[in-house]
């Protein structure tokens, strides 16, 4: 060794916040009427107390501690108290189906759960099915344990009150120690888990502070709308502590009105969430405008944003609106590959998007499906994309929705967008159907607008597509349906359509 | 492992530059009249060629390759070609005394040297004393080998021309592999070496891109005045490649006129150097102003800047002027310690500044003096400092210049500043002299301004100090001298003064 062997661990962020950002503020909405306001000094003190309390309950290095909670200060305390003590924070997605919630807690082997008082009804009926949980702690401003329908539940605030504020975290944790874990829903089967290490979170947080990335800094006021139970809230809580940003946590309610109020009152500079949130916020801001002059950046992720939404923020409200995929971030490599080779950067040739880097998982946690997604050191994302000549990624489809016709790949998404821009069409989904010669061919499933229900014709839709696409791309047939089946979050459920139409055969 | 084991190596920066910054430019002044201009695409190609050429000459993993060169594109090529191939770049300080140059090359065991054609005279007379060097390569635009007084010298451009532009660097280097080394002059004895690893340079480069740090980004135009033979030019060349910044390298000449011309012509946004450089630039800009409207930050280091210099840039020219010591950078920890404990943050209590972090050395390369500076995992900097209540470091002295009187520490620097602000004083140095009771006491050595040579009195100087300092700080005596002895770079050489006055005794 020639350089100091300083591990990349979250403890360094917490220590730094304690030394240099003592007087910076955290605002946490815990109910419709309550906003808890405190300093980083108090935050770190309570975080040490939480670690002490959990340790007294049996938390050791490697112990899994689950959270079932909204974005608030107690969740933020757990974000550091658990991993800095060497244990693993399992952020449970509260929107999973009950059987999936039970599955992930048992699969992760959580021993302690931290649950919001207002989320108790979602989990209380299934407590008897949790095989490894020894302690359940209820988080809230005024928790009445006698009214909680969970035997032996503990109060977060009562535990903290009795705990040691000088609890010291180990400084010699290996940087590859697991720090957190999340499960994501799978297309079929149970959710799949991913484990984050200290090193991966520290490096990811650093890149969030880069001038050419999100540039989180001490003068920022950060409000993460993206839930802390979803993919570490994209890392915003960790990066905010690292750089000493003021934090505004929206708690259990994030209607457009409440978000806009927080943006205005706390002069928020940076926020992040999915497109549906921003659709609502844009609409509300048009009706009841608040002062958003402090906002320097909206980060959007999860799915692509409609162009009208982007223009609404950028051109109408003059707020930069960035869709994230991490493309040009240092340390992260991306390739669009087709049959094991990188596609040319021509903006046309499709391939699957693959990623590798220090904060990309290399496995699903104890899951046989690992081999489907992780090959040769790369994560195969399941996104189909093209590379533009200047190095931008354009995502054109999901692998499972792509139509493989002869040697050619046909993007269902591009055909759908073209169909949905026709004035008589309300919705359209294009799926692959089996074909004797070409193996697969596109079939368009179209929902007409009610007023054109009787006047719409296959012919006019086909002719419209012929003007835009090569003949090999033109769907072999169009079927009119009443609605496109959708997932709980409103995405097209094409698997259902393919199932419904599995016996359909085009006449050749 | 749960996350990908992606090593933090310089190769990732080079690959990224090749993919995403192909058309960005590098401007390199190689003589008074020549500026070489090329793209990152060509830069990476030549870097691969250099690695191939050096490999053919016998460079292997771990081989030490010395550079003896100014800031230009060939030096930048070596900055990546050597470490990315797994070898070690030794940047030799061309300003060392000849015996020290010979020492560091032999001590590092350099096997290949890359030397600027215009620096050949500094090294040619000593080539026979170099014990490990097998090849010497001359860098220049039109090298005439027959005129180089070094036997068997090779031409850089001729080697490159014959080399493979598709040379591939290993992608599986361990991140703790040594990448570079520098030697710094010591107060006594031979220079001391420090070895940088890939990991340390990658992490340091990342922090240079942070919004709250220097915020190097793709839109920057970076001109490092700090030499590439001094402490990696503070990391600017590495970070510039990592973030794809345009680079302007000033070559062998950096007079204020030439620097201002480059700033103006290339619309430089970010530059870095020592205070003496900026004194000259400020003066020249006042006399012959150029357009500096593109400049967003001047980074200064090496020693403290006079307040007039800071005000000249910040208030007069409206250019932010930042003095670096890395205080609040993430991952880096600093403590001011006194007798093994941290001093209170009161702005008064002095202690020695200590640092630790992933890009801080933990040893001097094969040197017995390691134990003097590295203790308990911390680097003892030799700087005496106080901490302000809000966490700023104020450096008050060097350990070796501090006066330890009884139990108290007296800052020689503060006394000198007070003395030098007296209208009759030209220069003043305060040193410790032995004292029977207090062990040490301050003695002031004062150079009067010529016009006050005969009218200045000890009494008026002492009275002036008494108005500003506690009585224990007042020097026991003042001696008038003709000049303060100085080092080659203009720093006070107090060791010489102490030697000259070693027999001085205050009358008690």
């Amino acid at each position: 060794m020639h350089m100091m062997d300083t591990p990349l661990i979250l403890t360094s962020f917490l220590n730094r916040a304690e030394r240099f950002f003592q007087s910076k503020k955290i605002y946490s909405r815990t109910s419709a009427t309550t906003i808890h306001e405190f300093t980083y000094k108090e935050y770190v003190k309570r975080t040490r107390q939480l670690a002490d309390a959990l340790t007294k309950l049996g938390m050791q290095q490697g112990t899994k501690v689950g959270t079932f909670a909204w974005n608030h200060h107690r969740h933020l305390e757990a974000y550091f108290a658990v991993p800095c003590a060497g244990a693993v924070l399992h952020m449970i997605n509260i929107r999973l189906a009950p059987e999936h919630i039970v599955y992930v807690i048992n699969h992760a082997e959580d021993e302690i759960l931290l649950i919001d008082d207002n989320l108790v009804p979602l989990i209380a009926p299934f407590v008897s099915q949790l095989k490894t949980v020894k302690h359940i702690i209820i988080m809230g401003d005024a928790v009445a344990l006698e009214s909680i329908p969970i035997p032996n539940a503990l109060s977060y605030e009562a535990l903290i009150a009795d705990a040691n504020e000088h609890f010291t975290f180990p400084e010699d944790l290996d940087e590859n120690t697991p720090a957190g874990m999340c499960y994501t829903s799978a297309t079929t089967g149970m959710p799949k888990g991913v484990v984050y290490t200290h090193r991966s979170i520290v490096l990811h947080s650093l890149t969030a502070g880069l001038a050419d990335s999100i540039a989180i800094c001490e003068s920022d006021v950060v409000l993460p709308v993206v839930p802390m139970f979803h993919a570490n809230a994209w890392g915003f809580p960790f990066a905010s502590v690292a750089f000493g940003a003021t934090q505004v946590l929206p708690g259990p309610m994030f209607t457009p009105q409440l978000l806009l109020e927080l943006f205005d009152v706390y002069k928020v500079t940076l926020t992040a969430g999915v497109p549906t949130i921003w659709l609502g916020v844009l609409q509300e801001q048009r009706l009841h405008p608040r002062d958003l002059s402090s906002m320097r950046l909206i980060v959007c992720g999860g799915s692509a944003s409609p162009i009208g939404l982007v223009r609404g923020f950028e051109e109408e409200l003059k707020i930069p609106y960035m869709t994230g995929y991490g493309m040009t971030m240092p340390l992260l490599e991306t390739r669009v590959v087709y049959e094991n080779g990188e596609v040319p950067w021509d903006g046309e040739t499709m391939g699957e998007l693959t990623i590798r880097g220090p904060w990309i998982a290399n496995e699903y946690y104890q899951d046989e499906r690992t081999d489907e997604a992780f090959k040769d050191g790369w994560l195969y994302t399941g996104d189909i994309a093209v590379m533009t000549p200047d190095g931008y990624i354009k995502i054109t489809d999901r692998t499972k929705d792509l139509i493989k016709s002869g040697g050619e790949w046909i993007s269902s998404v591009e055909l759908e967008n073209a169909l949905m821009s026709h004035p008589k069409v309300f919705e359209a989904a294009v799926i692959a159907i089996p074909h004797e010669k070409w193996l697969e061919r596109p079939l368009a499933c179209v929902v007409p607008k009610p007023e054109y229900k009787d006047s719409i014709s296959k012919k006019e839709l086909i002719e419209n597509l012929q003007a835009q696409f090569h003949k090999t791309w033109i769907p072999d047939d169009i079927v009119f349906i009443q609605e496109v089946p959708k997932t709980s979050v409103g995405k097209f459920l094409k698997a259902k359509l393919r199932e419904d139409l599995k016996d359909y055969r085009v006449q050749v």
Side-chain angles (χ1 to χ4, degrees), chain A:
Chain A
M1 298 300 294
H2 302 280
M3 288 278 138
M4 291 183 182
D5 188 19
T6 311
L8 304 176
I9 55 176
L10 289 171
T11 322
S12 71
F13 290 169
L14 196 70
N15 288 342
R16 187 162 176 268
E18 189 174 37
R19 283 176 75 78
F20 297 117
F21 309 128
Q22 294 183 30
S23 57
K24 296 295 299 286
K25 288 289 182 67
I26 297 168
Y27 303 93
S28 167
R29 185 187 278 286
T30 55
S31 75
T33 53
T34 315
I35 292 183
H36 182 72
E37 167 184 344
F38 68 154
T39 63
Y40 269 80
K41 183 177 182 177
E42 294 165 282
Y43 164 69
V44 178
K45 180 187 140 198
R46 283 172 53 93
T47 299
R48 292 188 187 281
Q49 288 177 305
L50 174 59
D52 182 56
L54 294 174
T55 300
K56 285 174 183 160
L57 288 176
M59 180 178 76
Q60 299 180 322
Q61 292 205 8
T63 300
K64 312 295 195 314
V65 178
T67 56
F68 199 79
W70 299 106
N71 294 11
H72 52 61
H73 65 291
R74 295 183 185 95
H75 206 170
L76 187 66
E77 287 155 11
Y79 255 57
F80 278 84
V82 174
C84 290
V88 185
L89 187 78
H90 171 200
M91 297 145 274
I92 304 161
N93 187 335
I94 66 166
R95 291 182 182 139
L96 292 177
E99 63 177 305
H100 287 180
I101 292 174
V102 169
Y103 170 82
V104 301
I105 293 172
N106 286 336
H107 188 263
E109 302 182 81
D110 293 338
E111 294 182 31
I112 301 175
L113 294 182
L114 302 169
I115 302 178
D116 275 1
D117 52 0
N118 53 35
L119 294 174
V120 164
L122 291 188
I123 210 164
F126 313 102
V127 162
S128 64
Q129 299 174 43
L130 306 177
K131 296 172 189 166
T132 52
V133 173
K134 296 172 186 162
H135 301 286
I136 293 182
I137 299 167
I138 311 299
M139 297 187 282
D141 291 342
V143 172
L145 288 177
E146 60 280 9
S147 68
I148 302 287
I150 295 176
N152 303 316
L154 301 165
S155 156
Y156 184 97
E157 289 300 327
L159 286 172
I160 291 271
D162 288 340
N164 177 11
E165 65 184 72
H166 301 295
F167 180 90
T168 55
F169 294 105
E171 290 202 350
D172 57 353
L173 275 184
D174 186 298
E175 66 188 35
N176 292 309
T177 303
M181 59 192 303
C182 288
Y183 284 75
T184 56
S185 12
T187 318
T188 53
M190 290 293 167
K192 296 178 286 193
V194 162
V195 175
Y196 303 88
T197 61
H198 280 263
R199 173 181 163 108
S200 70
I201 298 175
V202 166
L203 290 172
H204 183 265
S205 301
L206 281 187
T207 57
L210 295 175
D212 270 345
S213 167
I214 293 166
I216 296 189
C217 61
E218 193 187 342
S219 61
D220 268 325
V221 181
V222 180
L223 189 155
V225 187
V226 51
M228 290 169 74
F229 56 73
H230 172 77
N232 297 333
W234 301 341
F236 279 93
F238 292 119
S240 296
V241 171
F243 299 111
T246 300
Q247 296 189 58
V248 183
L249 301 171
M253 277 150 301
F254 35 86
T255 62
Q257 295 87 336
L258 284 174
L259 287 176
L260 282 164
E261 183 190 322
L262 292 175
F263 292 162
D264 183 353
V265 170
Y266 294 105
K267 301 300 165 210
V268 170
T269 61
L270 177 61
T271 183
V274 294
T276 44
I277 292 287
W278 305 124
L279 280 167
V281 166
L282 180 62
Q283 204 161 23
E284 176 66 17
Q285 174 69 5
R286 282 169 176 158
L287 293 174
H288 305 105
R290 304 286 306 228
D291 175 16
L292 299 184
S293 58
S294 59
M295 191 70 77
R296 70 168 179 84
L297 182 63
I298 291 175
V299 176
C300 187
S303 58
S305 295
I307 186 69
L309 179 60
V310 180
R311 290 201 176 119
F313 279 101
E314 298 218 320
E315 293 171 13
E316 202 178 313
L317 303 183
K318 310 292 180 204
I319 301 173
Y321 183 98
M322 185 173 94
T323 297
Y325 206 110
M327 173 63 180
T328 61
M329 232 172 219
L331 306 184
L332 200 70
E333 288 179 273
T334 51
R335 295 277 189 283
V336 177
V337 297
Y338 178 70
E339 290 177 353
N340 297 324
E342 190 176 358
V343 301
W345 290 20
D346 57 10
E348 290 182 4
T349 311
M350 285 184 275
E352 183 168 358
L353 181 60
T354 67
I355 306 187
R356 70 176 178 188
W359 55 87
I360 307 296
N362 71 350
E363 63 168 11
Y364 292 126
Y365 180 66
Q366 298 185 357
D367 198 307
E368 290 173 354
R369 291 165 292 184
T370 288
D371 293 345
E372 296 165 16
F374 302 94
K375 298 168 204 161
D376 310 323
W378 291 81
L379 165 65
Y380 281 69
T381 63
D383 283 325
I384 296 298
V386 300
M387 290 294 296
T388 67
D390 41 0
Y392 284 88
I393 291 171
K394 187 178 161 196
I395 294 175
T396 55
D397 216 333
R398 293 285 302 165
T399 39
K400 63 184 167 54
D401 296 331
L402 198 70
I403 297 139
K404 287 156 188 161
S405 175
E408 196 177 4
W409 285 4
I410 297 171
S411 162
S412 62
V413 173
E414 290 192 32
L415 288 170
E416 287 159 6
N417 287 343
L419 284 165
M420 287 192 279
S421 67
H422 190 282
K424 292 185 179 175
V425 172
F426 175 65
E427 278 180 343
V430 175
I431 59 170
I433 46 162
H435 189 282
E436 284 178 16
K437 183 174 176 191
W438 305 113
L439 299 178
E440 288 184 358
R441 287 294 301 154
L443 173 69
C445 309
V446 170
V447 183
K449 286 184 183 164
E451 60 270 37
Y452 298 111
K453 199 165 159 292
D454 300 317
S455 66
I456 197 167
S457 77
K458 293 182 183 184
K459 185 165 175 287
E460 64 184 319
L461 294 180
I462 293 286
E463 282 173 2
N464 186 270
L465 292 177
Q466 282 167 336
Q468 300 173 62
F469 295 96
H470 186 263
K471 63 179 180 182
T472 56
W473 278 50
I474 308 304
D476 281 18
D477 202 358
I478 287 174
V479 293
F480 292 106
I481 57 175
Q482 292 203 314
E483 64 172 334
V484 177
K486 298 188 188 69
T487 68
S488 60
V489 293
K491 288 186 183 178
F492 283 5
L493 195 57
K494 293 198 197 173
K496 176 76 167 55
L497 263 187
R498 280 193 291 265
E499 175 63 22
D500 292 348
L501 292 160
K502 69 173 189 290
D503 297 326
Y504 183 94
R505 289 292 177 280
V506 177
Q507 313 302 321
V508 280

